[in-house]
Amino acid sequence: GAMGAAADAEWLRWVTKQFGNIAGKDREISLEEFKSALQVKESFFAERFFALFDSDGSGSLSLEELLGSLRLLLRGNSTEKLRFLFRVYDVDGLAPWWECQNSIWKPRIPSVTLQDFPGSAFPSKRRSGSIDAEELRLVLRECLRESSMALPEERLGALSQALLQAADRDHSGSITFPELQEQLEAFPEILENLSISAASWLKPPAPSERRLRPRCFSREFWRERLCRFSREFRGARLCCLGAWAAVTALLVALGALRHRERGPALALARGCGLGLNLNCALLAALMLRRSLTRLRSTPLAELLPLELHVRGHELVGYLVLALAAAHSAAHLAHHGLAQGPGQVALGEFLRRARPGAGGVAGTAPQSGLALLALLLAMLVCSCPCVRRGGHFEVFYWSHLSYISVWLLLLLHGPHFWKWFLIPGSLFFLEKALGWAWRRAGDLRILEANLLPSKVTHLVIQRPKSFRFQPGDYVFLNIPAIAAYEWHPFSISSAPEQPETLWLHIRALGQWTNKLYEYFQQLELRGPEPNPPGKSRRERRSRHWERGSGPGENWRSCNVKCYLDGPYGTPSRRIFTSEHAVLIGAGIGITPFASILQSIMFRYRWRKQSCPSCGFSWCEERRDEEMTLRKVDFIWITRDQQHLEWFLSLLSKLETEQAELEPGGKFLELHLYMTSALGKGDMKALGLQVALDLLAAKENRDSITGLRTRTQPGRPDWAKVFGKVAAERHGKVRVFFCGSPRLAELVRGHCRTFGFRFSKENF
């Protein structure tokens, strides 16, 4: 964004300080020192800036030269800044940029060329005052490199020719400054960006968005947890949270009042015990994934925060540990305060069971301490530094102690079974049915494709009885990777695809990296024999159905696996929305890949046409399960390679919509690439204009080949949601899958525009 005058002045002071720290006795800096002073990376543009700032052509910059140039850029108008850009692009000469705009400034060496500087890679030409095709091609190639993009030489040539033909009004074969200025008037947004302070062109790169996780159980850890829970539990969710807290507090109070005559310590212990009965049973209820999936198809889904059941499980777990600690401490205090004949020592009380001590056969003290130790171990092993730090098996095996916890609770609390009967029975029934179902089927991974950025695309044999909804996820187990580990992944294929299931898995942890390496080694060994019963024609047909693009390297295999699921997510509500906005960040596109395919399948099914005249229309009320009027899909990727994950699928969706409804806008795609220089960056101005011109000419994007233009940088959410609100297609609901930090940013904008927000949680 724009930097104010105060920020500009502060930035100049910072540059002056950096210069003083680096400059030698001669009080001048070289090109390498210039890059170090401004913390710019090795690039074509750093060299061009240096060359243009060097007014005397000495090959070094004085502080006066540097600050004089920067002040002119800071205070110049858009025309002056555009002239500077023109001089950056005019690489065949080195006249100082202000020579062309102010007669007061005169170069001391008027005919210096870039060839005179050591290490320069620019052609030895004198200043021409225009930009020819060769220069334009060189600049655009460097723009692509700055944006971490690569295009074939023929596409680069097409880009430079598109810009040259559009701007070269006199057909001289080169672009003059007036021609460039006139051409850019057709892009008011880009001209508006030139009013941004020049300091934003040269200021140091922003620190990485990826921040280190706070240390487990540190003050920052608990502060982050509290902030996250407070952001997620709002509105109806906050009401559910308040009701749970109120019921727990009421039970604690009732238990304490019932035993108040036996002293405050015992009253507190009994109250906490009654609260534990509820919350220990609730721990099981919140992990009834199959039951919760069924609830999502009922009206209760709008009232209960079902998508936050994992967060709720964490909250209840923290409260259970707190109540258990208070319960134990109160009992110990009561025993220490109690006086009378027959009173045993505290050590004896904790070590041996005795009649009257509570629990089954007087084992309450011993079972209570064992419970407290198990709960504490489960909490420690569940923290992110363990679960996501390459020690998932520690989390997994420690969490299996829930069986021991519930057995001890039944021995410890005489009334716990009444609270646990229904949720506990459902929990163990779900586990038993799931275990029997997934072990009964002999499923195989039929094909694997290793995609850029270590993404593994698995094609899995689909069981005949497997029914799922778009956006659902499954737990996957591959014995060849780890015999006992189950990991959740979104299904990226549509339910209408009968024979196979797709999973796209990014290598981000220990298990997912092992998965990628396993199929990488499998590929090096060569393809395994094709699954029996599949002819070459059938395999070719399956490749056609999935829309495999050129260059995709599919490998047949026959790897055993197990599935547990499917389980529902908030994305199931997409089809009952009126205007759905789907936002996927990185591999967060996977649930939406399934949803988009299913949406287009249903849209195709609703589409009707007259056999006589060919007129087509849409039966909006034919499918009562889908009330969608408009779908906007926003995919934010880091670089060009990530776009290849689902490029063939997006191309197929665009083609289908063009066939069903030429010129229609039922489904709109919006692609953003964060590594690309944004339109507010001066260095990217020529590239973005060229990409826009060529896309308008060819009706396809040069980066992806889609009809949808790939936008550089990050979305401007205020503009994106403002456009969505202005379309007035009905109530807007935003569905998000991606990083927590971006989720909070999008959630805030949704509150501003009054959109409902749902986020995927596993």
Side-chain angles (χ1 to χ4, degrees), residues 318-479:
Y318 291 138
L319 182 63
V320 163
L321 186 62
L323 288 175
H327 177 76
S328 302
H331 267 302
L332 292 176
H334 174 73
H335 181 80
L337 294 173
Q339 300 293 332
Q343 184 73 20
V344 299
L346 181 60
E348 186 72 14
F349 173 75
L350 296 176
R351 189 167 52 251
R352 294 184 180 179
R354 63 184 181 86
V360 176
T363 57
Q366 295 75 38
S367 58
L369 287 178
L371 279 167
L372 190 60
L374 285 174
L375 290 171
L376 185 60
M378 290 173 74
L379 174 67
V380 171
C381 296
S382 300
C383 63
C385 58
V386 174
R387 192 174 68 253
R388 300 176 182 174
H391 305 287
F392 180 85
E393 66 279 0
V394 175
F395 160 75
Y396 178 80
W397 288 108
S398 65
H399 242 61
L400 283 182
S401 62
Y402 67 81
I403 300 174
S404 302
V405 168
W406 284 331
L407 289 175
L408 286 171
L409 280 169
L410 292 170
L411 294 174
H412 180 82
H415 301 290
F416 176 68
W417 68 271
K418 301 174 185 177
W419 299 82
F420 187 67
L421 182 61
I422 295 177
S425 300
L426 287 174
F427 185 86
F428 285 107
L429 180 62
E430 283 195 5
K431 288 292 183 182
L433 290 176
W435 184 87
W437 180 84
R438 63 188 181 232
R439 293 292 172 180
D442 184 19
L443 301 183
R444 301 283 170 172
I445 298 174
L446 304 178
E447 294 176 335
N449 184 20
L450 301 183
L451 299 173
S453 299
K454 300 186 75 173
V455 170
T456 309
H457 179 184
L458 300 180
V459 178
I460 302 175
Q461 175 186 357
R462 178 176 175 178
K464 294 182 180 179
S465 59
F466 193 87
R467 303 284 186 269
F468 70 98
Q469 296 294 321
D472 286 359
Y473 68 97
V474 294
F475 281 84
L476 173 67
N477 170 259
I478 304 178

Side-chain angles (χ1 to χ4, degrees), residues 498-762:
E499 295 183 357
T500 57
L501 291 172
W502 293 358
L503 298 179
H504 284 74
I505 302 172
R506 180 117 186 246
L508 292 175
Q510 188 180 36
W511 188 90
T512 50
N513 273 293
K514 284 184 179 179
L515 175 75
Y516 185 87
E517 293 167 2
Y518 175 81
F519 285 103
Q520 193 175 40
Q521 294 172 359
L522 192 67
E523 183 175 344
L524 292 175
R525 293 196 301 265
E528 293 190 4
N530 290 318
K534 296 292 182 182
S535 66
R536 180 175 298 180
R537 179 177 298 180
E538 288 174 314
R539 294 194 300 273
R540 189 183 305 158
S541 174
R542 188 163 63 242
H543 279 246
W544 173 257
E545 287 178 2
R546 67 179 170 231
S548 298
E552 292 192 15
N553 189 16
W554 288 90
R555 311 292 292 185
S556 297
C557 57
N558 189 22
V559 179
K560 190 173 184 178
C561 69
Y562 299 107
L563 296 178
D564 181 16
Y567 298 111
T569 66
S571 300
R572 286 192 169 195
R573 302 176 192 169
I574 285 176
F575 296 96
T576 57
S577 306
E578 293 177 330
H579 189 166
V581 179
L582 317 180
I583 303 175
I587 200 63
I589 186 182
T590 47
F592 301 135
S594 171
I595 290 165
L596 291 173
Q597 293 176 81
S598 187
I599 285 175
M600 292 309 297
F601 180 88
R602 299 184 189 200
Y603 186 68
R604 188 190 315 118
W605 182 69
R606 293 192 312 175
K607 199 72 177 177
Q608 303 295 312
S609 60
C610 175
S612 301
C613 64
F615 176 77
S616 62
W617 69 95
C618 187
E619 293 282 352
E620 293 192 3
R621 297 187 178 180
R622 184 176 176 183
D623 185 0
E624 296 180 357
E625 295 182 356
M626 187 167 108
T627 59
L628 279 171
R629 302 178 189 172
K630 176 71 186 298
V631 179
D632 282 282
F633 172 62
I634 301 172
W635 187 18
I636 307 166
T637 61
R638 189 176 65 198
D639 54 41
Q640 187 178 8
Q641 283 189 325
H642 291 184
L643 290 169
E644 298 177 21
W645 295 342
F646 291 94
L647 203 55
S648 56
L649 170 62
L650 296 179
S651 176
K652 187 177 179 182
L653 291 175
E654 279 191 335
T655 302
E656 285 188 1
Q657 176 161 262
E659 293 174 354
L660 292 171
E661 187 180 5
K665 291 292 183 180
F666 170 73
L667 171 63
E668 277 196 71
L669 305 180
H670 311 269
L671 307 181
Y672 292 87
M673 189 164 60
T674 59
S675 69
L677 299 177
K679 292 185 177 179
D681 193 312
M682 180 209 64
K683 301 187 290 293
L685 188 147
L687 175 62
Q688 297 304 327
V689 171
L691 287 170
D692 284 341
L693 290 170
L694 194 58
K697 178 181 178 181
E698 299 180 346
N699 195 28
R700 69 186 181 99
D701 183 49
S702 295
I703 299 172
T704 62
L706 300 174
R707 294 178 176 88
T708 301
R709 170 81 161 86
T710 303
Q711 300 298 323
R714 306 178 187 280
D716 183 336
W717 295 109
K719 289 184 178 180
V720 171
F721 286 167
K723 180 178 178 294
V724 169
E727 291 178 351
R728 300 183 181 276
H729 288 292
K731 294 182 180 179
V732 178
R733 188 157 197 160
V734 177
F735 299 87
F736 177 86
C737 186
S739 68
R741 293 192 68 190
L742 182 57
E744 294 310 314
L745 178 63
V746 174
R747 190 196 304 272
H749 285 282
C750 288
R751 285 197 294 266
T752 302
F753 285 89
F755 300 162
R756 298 199 65 177
F757 176 84
S758 297
K759 177 182 178 295
E760 300 289 340
N761 289 287
F762 298 109

Side-chain angles (χ1 to χ4, degrees), residues 74-88:
L74 290 172
R75 298 168 186 170
N77 56 35
S78 59
T79 301
E80 292 167 339
K81 293 173 183 177
L82 181 60
R83 191 179 295 277
F84 176 77
L85 172 68
F86 181 83
R87 298 302 301 144
V88 171

